[in-house]
């Protein structure tokens, strides 16, 4: 083999390595690039309109916009990694927020409410996580049932109260409005979630179940057990999100949390995670997706885009990202 | 031979490799081109929007359509306005994103903000009036030139005031139950001097609403009536209106020769969904003379009633007394002569109230007699005949947002703005807001 052929082989190998790297990390790179693009764009353009995305007020707005979605989405990654979708997330947030306000006003402390919400979230996690495989039904069905039950409970509560919204009377909730607190709590949640997701059997097995349930089962993984674990961890994230949702205004209403399951889905898909779950699931998808969506919420009005146009632009960007990250190799259907 | 085959094999492999590389590069090239074009598209949209003055186009349209009104007032505005006039952006927290009232509000704001030197931005409130949703909508739209907020929703008002202590806020077409209601979530707003009050979409008090419908039922001589309403947790005043209506009927029946029957113990609750036709299967709802609709009845009751009449489930003479307005021509034609015998329509022009309150406050020229915010009753346009409906169609801006047909013209409105009339008082504004300038009589 002469020198020329060696060089050619090296080039081919470099090209193959790059292609392999691109193939393995394409989705991550595109998702991160999307967020980076938004940051750069708004950093450059907003000063032209006399605004700044980096002003303390706007950073605070960004954090308050992103915190609930991010906290929910990080938890929901455990559910999505199973290949499941939880429709009841929004109503869980609504009920937990309501409970936090009611118990807060009744006892003068948020602690009883938090404990009650954790207890409830475990019960809901068991129902959502176990009923699919136990009753041999599609996993989304239990969450639809739970959503309807929670909607009914919320409606009864507010009908009895005779109002659409309730607020904390004596408890100071300003703690939850601090952007620094939001950042710290989110970082802590991410660290814990990453630990469970990447370094414990729970995370590995949930991904394995999402990748191939039959193989996972034949490998001795208890599907029901790890599904319940995944839903419980997600439930903790939802309780945390409800705490910040309630703490944002110190109030809850009959519509709190409505549509939040869609926000979670958008964040996770925008972050580049396959809806089918499996081994490509990752916590960072939830964070990147949530921040990308929120930075559009905050940044687009700053560059002079009318509010009614932001939905279209956000939808367009979502579509572009989905086309780039979630297309099948052959065919046009999402993964 | 073997060496030839080996050579051919190597050559074939090389060719295939070259072909594959070319193919992949072409594919990558196409993908790359697609991605670059997509990014360019987004950039173009964004930069185009960034340079667009969002209010100019609409203002121009409005100015064109109202050139006479604007021209007649321009001289006056030049004469009376001083150099210290403050501008800025007014946010409009809208509870809807389409329909007659939405079109009207946009046209009205186009005209008035251009005249007063403001810009405005529509912000879509949370679909269910959730406090956090409303607050976040306002926060996202907030820029450093925002000076005021007109809110059609009350969820999170106190939070918005807390978040932006320098922002003036006034309400429109809402009784702000969370502010003025018992133990309301935004009760703290009542004592906030940046909160300038609100004008309700009709009567703020459920008692007044109940009495209004009772008077109408008696006047029209209906003897068997059902009540349908939006849920009380969302509209507490409707629960009170239902109770008042029944109490008034009970009192009336004590001396009446022919008593009025009101079906059920309480009004049928419509959970923000149109009435179900099964309502007319209930034995007590047979042979009704009328339905009192404490809701947007043209949208939520009328279709079911028409269908029930068509199917023989309801008496063909069953009528509807209700509120709200749908600009569909068939519905317009029906009002006063068909099924809808009376339509109570809060006048869209009451948007003048929050605009006047904001302008005075922003200019630092608050009414001397304004002490604390309050909820004002809105004046209903009562449409109870074909003639009145025709007047509204032809002479009012309600159906098509034609600003040349305003009752509250620029000239008339300026009398209540202290930048133009330093003698204007809050008492006069209140009196004006309750006058026939907002009733059906304004469009005769």
């Amino acid at each position: 083999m002469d020198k020329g052929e060696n060089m050619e082989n090296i080039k081919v190998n470099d090209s193959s390595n790059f292609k392999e790297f691109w193939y393995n990390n394409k989705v991550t790179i595109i998702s991160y690039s999307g967020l980076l693009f938004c940051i750069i764009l708004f950093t450059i353009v907003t000063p032209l309109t006399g605004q700044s995305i980096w002003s303390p007020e706007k950073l605070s707005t960004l954090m308050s916009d992103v915190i609930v979605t991010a906290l929910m989405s990080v938890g929901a990654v455990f559910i999505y990694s199973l290949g499941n979708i939880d429709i009841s997330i929004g109503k869980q947030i609504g009920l937990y927020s309501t409970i936090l306000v009611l118990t807060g006003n009744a006892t003068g402390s948020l602690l009883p409410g938090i404990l009650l919400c954790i207890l409830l979230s475990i019960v809901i996690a068991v129902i959502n996580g176990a009923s699919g495989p136990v009753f041999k039904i599609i996993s989304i069905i239990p969450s639809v049932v739970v959503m309807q039950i929670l909607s009914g409970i919320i409606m009864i509560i507010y009908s009895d109260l005779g109002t659409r919204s309730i607020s904390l009377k004596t408890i100071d909730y300003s703690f939850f409005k601090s952007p620094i607190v939001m950042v710290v709590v989110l970082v802590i949640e991410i660290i814990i979630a990453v630990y469970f997701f990447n370094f414990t059997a729970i995370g590995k097995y949930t991904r394995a179940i999402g990748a191939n349930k039959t193989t996972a089962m034949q490998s001795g993984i208890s599907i029901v057990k790890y599904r319940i674990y995944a839903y419980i961890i997600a439930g903790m994230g939802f309780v945390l999100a409800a705490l910040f949702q309630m703490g944002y205004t110190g109030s809850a209403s009959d519509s709190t949390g409505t549509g939040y399951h869609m926000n979670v889905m958008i964040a996770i898909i925008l972050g580049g995670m396959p809806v089918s779950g499996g081994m490509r699931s990752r916590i960072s998808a939830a964070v990147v997706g949530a921040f990308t969506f929120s930075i559009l919420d905050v940044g687009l009005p700053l560059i002079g885009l009318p509010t009614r146009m932001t939905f279209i632009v956000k939808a367009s960007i979502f579509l572009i990202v989905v086309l780039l990250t979630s297309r099948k190799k052959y065919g046009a259907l999402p993964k | 031979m073997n060496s030839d085959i080996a050579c051919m094999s190597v050559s074939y492999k090389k060719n295939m490799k070259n072909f594959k590389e070319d193919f992949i590069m072409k594919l990558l090239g196409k993908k790359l081109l697609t991605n670059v074009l997509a990014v360019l598209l987004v950039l173009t949209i964004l930069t185009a929007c960034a340079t667009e003055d969002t209010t100019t186009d609409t203002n121009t349209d409005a100015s064109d359509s109202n050139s006479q009104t604007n021209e007649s007032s321009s001289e006056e505005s030049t004469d009376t306005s001083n150099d210290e006039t403050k501008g800025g952006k007014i946010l409009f927290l809208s509870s809807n994103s389409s329909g007659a009232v939405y079109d009207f509000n946009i046209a009205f704001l186009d005209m008035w903000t251009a005249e007063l030197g403001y810009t405005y931005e529509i912000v879509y409130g949370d679909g269910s009036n959730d406090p956090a949703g409303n607050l976040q909508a306002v926060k996202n739209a907030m820029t450093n030139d925002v000076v005021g907020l007109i809110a059609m929703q009350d969820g999170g008002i106190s939070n918005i005031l807390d978040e932006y202590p320098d922002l003036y806020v006034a309400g429109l077409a809402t009784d702000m139950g969370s502010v003025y209601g018992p133990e309301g979530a935004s009760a703290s707003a009542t004592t906030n001097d940046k909160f300038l009050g609100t004008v309700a979409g009709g009567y703020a008090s459920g008692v007044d609403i109940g009495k209004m419908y009772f008077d109408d039922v008696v006047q029209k001589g209906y003897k068997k009536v059902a009540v349908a309403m939006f849920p009380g947790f969302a509209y507490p005043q409707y629960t009170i209106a239902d109770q008042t209506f029944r109490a008034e009927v009970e009192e009336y029946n004590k001396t009446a020769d022919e008593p009025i029957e009101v079906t059920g113990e309480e009004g049928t609750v419509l959970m923000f969904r149109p009435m179900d036709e099964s309502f007319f299967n209930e034995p007590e709802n047979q042979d009704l003379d009328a339905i009192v609709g404490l809701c947007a009845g043209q949208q939520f009751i009328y279709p079911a009633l028409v269908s029930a009449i068509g199917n023989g489930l309801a008496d063909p003479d069953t009528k509807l007394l209700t509120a709200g307005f749908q600009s569909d021509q068939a519905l317009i034609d029906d009002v006063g002569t068909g099924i809808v015998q009376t339509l109570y329509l809060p006048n869209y022009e009451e948007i003048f109230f929050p605009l006047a309150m904001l302008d005075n406050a922003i200019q630092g020229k608050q009414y001397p007699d304004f002490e604390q915010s309050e909820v004002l009753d809105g004046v209903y346009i009562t449409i109870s005949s074909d003639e009145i409906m025709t007047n509204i169609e032809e002479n009012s801006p309600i159906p098509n947002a034609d600003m040349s047909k305003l009752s509250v013209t620029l000239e008339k409105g300026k009398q209540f703005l202290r930048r133009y009339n330093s003698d204007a008082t809050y008492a006069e504004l209140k009196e004006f807001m309750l006058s026939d300038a907002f009733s059906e009589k304004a469009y005769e």
Side-chain angles (χ1 to χ4, degrees):
Chain A
M1 199 178 280
D2 64 13
K3 199 176 175 182
E5 279 185 0
N6 274 337
M7 287 302 291
E8 195 177 313
N9 282 337
I10 289 166
K11 277 181 189 172
V12 169
N13 284 338
D14 283 350
S15 171
S16 302
N17 289 340
F18 172 75
K19 273 184 241 168
E20 193 180 337
F21 175 79
W22 172 252
Y23 179 77
N24 290 333
N25 299 284
K26 183 182 78 172
V27 172
T28 312
I29 291 167
I30 292 171
S31 305
Y32 278 70
S33 302
L35 179 58
L36 199 63
F37 169 75
C38 291
I39 291 171
I40 293 169
L41 177 78
F42 293 132
T43 304
I44 294 169
V45 179
T46 52
L48 301 178
T49 58
Q51 315 287 332
S52 173
I53 191 88
W54 297 109
S55 67
E57 295 80 22
K58 282 300 158 189
L59 287 177
S60 166
T61 302
L62 176 66
M63 275 316 296
S64 60
D65 193 274
V66 79
I67 185 69
V68 175
T69 307
L71 290 172
M72 285 187 301
S73 304
V74 168
V77 166
F78 283 84
I79 297 173
Y80 276 71
S81 69
L82 290 162
N84 294 354
I85 293 172
D86 189 350
I87 301 291
S88 69
I89 295 173
K91 288 301 166 189
Q92 286 190 53
I93 300 293
L95 182 62
Y96 300 155
S97 301
T98 302
I99 288 171
L100 287 167
V101 174
L102 289 175
T103 54
N105 285 339
T107 63
S109 165
L110 288 176
L111 193 60
I114 294 170
L115 294 174
L116 185 56
C117 290
I118 290 173
L119 192 67
L120 259 174
S121 76
I122 293 170
V123 173
I124 292 170
V126 171
I127 295 169
N128 274 338
S131 35
V134 168
F135 297 116
K136 313 282 185 204
I137 50 177
I138 303 167
S139 61
I140 199 172
I141 302 294
S143 76
V144 172
V145 174
V146 168
M147 179 194 72
Q148 289 177 333
I149 291 170
L150 297 186
S151 297
I153 292 170
I154 289 169
M155 195 176 289
I156 289 168
I157 290 172
Y158 284 96
S159 295
D160 285 351
L161 291 170
T163 180
R164 289 196 82 174
S165 60
I166 49 175
S167 61
L168 287 173
K169 300 292 178 197
T170 54
I171 299 173
D172 179 14
Y173 56 91
S174 56
F175 173 79
F176 297 104
K177 295 171 73 177
S178 162
I180 295 165
V181 172
M182 292 177 189
V183 172
V184 169
V185 170
L186 183 58
V187 168
I188 291 171
E189 194 204 25
I190 291 168
I191 291 169
I192 293 170
V194 166
Y195 170 74
F196 274 104
F197 201 66
N198 294 337
F199 301 105
T200 68
I202 295 173
K204 288 173 187 171
Y205 290 168
T206 53
R207 277 179 287 160
I209 293 167
N212 192 321
K213 196 168 75 176
T214 310
T215 309
M217 207 156 46
Q218 288 173 348
S219 304
I221 297 172
S222 168
I223 304 290
V224 176
K225 187 170 126 185
Y226 284 99
R227 276 173 59 107
I228 290 174
Y229 284 161
Y231 274 87
I232 287 175
I233 293 172
M236 297 300 117
F238 302 156
V239 173
L240 201 56
L243 198 56
F244 277 87
Q245 172 68 34
M246 183 280 302
Y248 186 40
T249 57
S251 64
S253 77
D254 62 329
S255 60
T256 298
T258 303
Y260 280 18
H261 60 282
M262 289 305 295
N263 294 357
V264 169
M265 194 185 293
I266 289 167
I268 285 177
I269 294 173
L270 207 54
M273 185 173 143
V275 184
S276 54
M279 301 313 287
R280 288 195 174 182
S281 306
R282 56 188 201 284
I283 298 293
S284 65
V287 184
V288 169
F291 269 95
T292 306
F293 213 61
S294 289
I295 205 167
L296 290 170
D297 271 338
V298 178
L300 291 174
L302 289 183
I303 61 174
L305 192 74
T307 315
R308 57 180 174 272
M309 293 293 294
T310 58
F311 300 110
I312 296 170
V313 174
K314 280 161 67 179
S316 306
I317 291 171
F318 181 71
L319 181 65
I320 290 167
V321 171
V322 168
L323 286 175
L324 291 175
T325 60
S326 299
R327 279 208 314 163
K328 269 187 165 182
K329 195 173 179 184
Y330 303 105
L333 291 171
K335 283 177 187 174
Chain B
M1 184 67 182
N2 284 341
S3 64
D4 285 343
I5 291 170
C7 279
M8 280 173 67
S9 171
V10 168
S11 170
Y12 171 74
K13 279 178 184 172
K14 274 190 177 179
N15 285 338
M16 278 305 291
K17 196 167 75 179
N18 289 337
F19 170 73
K20 276 182 184 172
E21 278 178 8
D22 286 344
F23 181 71
I24 287 166
M25 286 313 290
K26 276 180 187 171
L27 205 62
L28 274 175
K30 278 181 186 171
K31 278 189 176 179
L32 206 62
L33 186 65
T34 312
N35 295 348
V36 169
L37 284 174
V39 170
L40 277 174
L41 173 70
V42 174
L43 268 173
T44 312
I45 293 170
L46 295 178
T47 46
C49 294
T51 53
E52 182 189 2
D53 183 349
T54 56
T55 56
T56 307
D57 292 342
T58 47
N59 285 342
T60 308
D61 294 342
S63 302
D64 289 343
S65 65
N66 303 287
S67 53
Q68 284 185 332
T69 323
N70 287 337
E71 278 167 20
S72 63
S73 62
S74 60
E75 286 178 18
E76 189 188 346
S77 68
T78 313
D79 292 338
T80 52
S81 59
N82 59 46
D83 293 334
E84 293 171 4
T85 301
K86 294 168 192 165
K89 187 194 285 181
I90 292 173
L91 294 183
F92 183 73
L93 185 69
S94 179
S95 60
N96 42 46
S97 56
S98 63
V101 65
Y102 178 79
D103 294 341
F104 177 90
N105 287 335
I106 285 186
F108 192 92
L109 287 172
D110 281 343
M111 189 180 87
W112 271 96
T113 53
E115 183 66 23
L116 299 176
Y118 300 111
T119 59
Y120 76 94
E121 174 73 51
I122 306 277
V123 179
Y124 299 99
D126 183 88
S128 305
N129 196 23
D130 182 51
N134 284 342
L135 173 60
Q136 196 60 47
V138 170
K139 285 180 85 169
N140 287 344
M142 186 58 66
T143 49
N144 48 22
D145 58 342
V146 172
V147 288
L149 170 72
I150 297 174
M152 291 186 79
Q153 300 193 149
D154 63 342
I157 282 295
S158 60
N159 304 107
I160 292 168
L161 288 161
D162 290 345
E163 194 74 32
Y164 301 103
D166 296 328
L167 185 71
Y168 289 103
V169 178
L172 166 66
T174 165
D175 62 355
M176 294 263 172
S178 72
V179 176
Y180 298 108
E183 296 191 21
S186 289
S188 63
T190 50
T191 53
N192 190 315
D193 61 359
K194 301 289 181 187
F195 184 66
L196 306 170
T198 183
V199 56
Y203 289 134
S205 159
V207 173
D208 292 336
I209 297 171
K211 285 180 178 174
M212 178 179 77
Y213 279 104
F214 166 73
D215 290 342
D216 203 8
V217 166
V218 171
Q219 190 192 341
K220 289 190 165 62
Y222 299 138
K223 296 302 170 193
K224 187 176 181 184
V225 180
V227 179
M229 55 193 270
F230 280 153
F233 66 85
Y235 294 92
Q237 71 271 34
Y238 286 159
T239 305
I240 296 167
D242 180 41
Q243 290 164 354
T244 305
F245 178 78
R246 289 164 193 277
E248 290 286 318
V249 168
E250 200 176 324
E251 194 62 32
Y252 170 85
N253 286 345
K254 285 178 184 171
T255 54
D257 294 335
E258 206 177 342
I260 298 170
E261 181 191 351
V262 185
T263 63
E265 293 298 310
E266 55 187 27
T268 300
V269 175
L270 308 174
M271 294 303 293
F272 304 110
R273 292 193 192 100
M275 175 182 272
D276 196 275
E277 224 174 291
S278 61
F279 171 87
F280 297 99
N281 286 328
E282 299 290 331
E284 62 183 9
N285 293 330
Q286 305 290 316
D287 303 322
L288 289 172
D289 288 333
I291 299 172
V292 170
L294 300 171
C295 58
Q298 277 189 316
Q299 191 179 350
F300 289 88
I301 300 174
Y302 180 86
L305 180 52
V306 169
S307 177
I309 290 172
N311 295 337
L313 286 173
D315 188 312
D317 293 328
T318 307
K319 304 299 181 188
L320 178 61
L321 314 175
T322 191
F325 178 74
Q326 295 291 306
S327 54
D328 181 84
Q329 193 57 47
L331 291 171
I332 288 175
D333 293 343
D334 175 83
V335 176
T337 54
I339 288 174
V340 180
Q341 282 294 296
T342 309
L343 194 66
Y344 295 101
L345 170 64
N347 196 328
Y348 302 165
E349 294 196 46
E350 65 186 15
I351 189 177
F352 177 72
F353 174 77
L355 192 76
M357 295 302 291
L358 283 182
D359 184 59
N360 289 335
I362 292 164
Q363 301 306 322
K365 295 175 179 175
Q366 188 53 277
Y367 297 115
D369 57 336
F370 177 74
E371 291 173 355
Q372 194 175 351
S373 74
E374 62 182 316
V375 53
L376 299 187
D377 279 336
V379 174
Y380 287 106
I381 296 171
T382 306
I383 309 172
S384 55
S385 71
D386 191 37
E387 184 189 353
I388 298 173
M389 189 70 248
T390 306
N391 286 341
I392 301 301
E393 264 190 287
E394 293 178 356
N395 306 328
S396 89
I398 303 295
N400 49 19
D402 183 349
M403 293 292 107
S404 66
K405 295 176 180 174
L406 279 176
S407 167
V408 187
T409 58
L410 286 169
E411 297 96 308
K412 205 182 282 184
K414 282 177 181 176
Q415 294 170 23
F416 302 94
L417 301 184
R418 294 198 72 233
R419 65 157 91 183
Y420 297 109
N421 176 11
S422 57
D423 296 329
T425 64
Y426 182 60
E428 287 171 353
L429 176 69
K430 279 173 63 177
E431 191 183 346
F432 178 60
M433 293 303 301
L434 292 169
S435 73
D436 280 338
F438 293 87
S439 78
E440 67 278 5
K441 291 173 185 167
Y443 309 114
E444 286 176 350

